[in-house]
Amino acid sequence: MAVYPDSPAGFPRHLQAGAMRRRFWGVFNCLCAGAFGALAAASAKLAFGSQANVVFCTLGIIVMATTNSLMWTFFSRGLSFSMSSAIASVTVTFSNILSSAFLGFVLYGECQEVLWWGGAFLILCGLILIHRNLSPPRKALPHKQQ
């Protein structure tokens, strides 16, 4: 049976800067992906709104396609830098929620309710938990043959 230390094993000194840099770029790319996703949704809402003429509709579709492709580009880069896909997905989701709230307030004057902000706070708490140092993975126990 394997014994695990109370604190996770740290990176060697020569790898610490590189690991922190990779983690930073993973979070940065995921935050950008969430913001571009919110921009894509806002441009679609503007393009297909009830008072959209042909020029706004065409411009909105072009902006939506561009920001959507940027969102997927940044998300795939964030996945490649992140330690797990769960970390990248939750970071993108949180960034998208906050960006959508900001764009909704700026573009449409929408204010979110307390329950909405409570949910965003719970997602932030989950993000803090999963971005902490991860303990070393446990080795699988050998299967008994009968």
Side-chain angles (χ1 to χ4, degrees):
M1 181 177 275
V3 178
Y4 295 102
D6 291 333
S7 62
F11 288 106
R13 187 169 294 284
H14 67 283
L15 291 178
Q16 286 178 352
M20 291 304 290
R21 205 173 308 127
R22 284 185 59 82
R23 187 177 214 170
F24 167 78
W25 284 113
V27 170
F28 176 77
N29 282 305
C30 289
L31 292 175
C32 288
F36 280 123
L39 266 172
S43 63
K45 188 173 181 178
L46 288 174
F48 299 113
S50 60
Q51 300 166 343
N53 59 17
V54 176
V55 175
F56 276 137
C57 187
T58 305
L59 184 64
I61 290 172
I62 292 170
V63 171
M64 179 186 64
T66 304
T67 54
N68 212 5
S69 62
L70 284 170
M71 184 260 311
W72 284 110
T73 301
F74 278 99
F75 180 59
S76 63
R77 290 169 86 194
L79 278 173
S80 68
F81 283 119
S82 293
M83 294 174 65
S84 75
S85 60
I87 291 173
S89 298
V90 175
T91 306
V92 168
T93 302
F94 183 71
S95 173
N96 189 286
I97 287 172
L98 287 185
S99 300
S100 296
F102 176 74
L103 287 174
F105 179 74
V106 169
L107 295 176
Y108 306 108
E110 297 175 347
C111 292
Q112 304 302 329
E113 296 181 12
V114 174
L115 186 62
W116 188 93
W117 286 108
F121 175 73
L122 289 176
I123 293 173
L124 177 64
C125 291
L127 261 176
I128 291 169
L129 287 176
I130 63 173
H131 274 284
R132 292 175 50 195
N133 288 336
L134 299 175
S135 60
R138 294 184 179 199
K139 295 179 183 175
L141 296 175
H143 293 286
K144 292 181 181 179
Q145 296 197 5
Q146 296 179 359

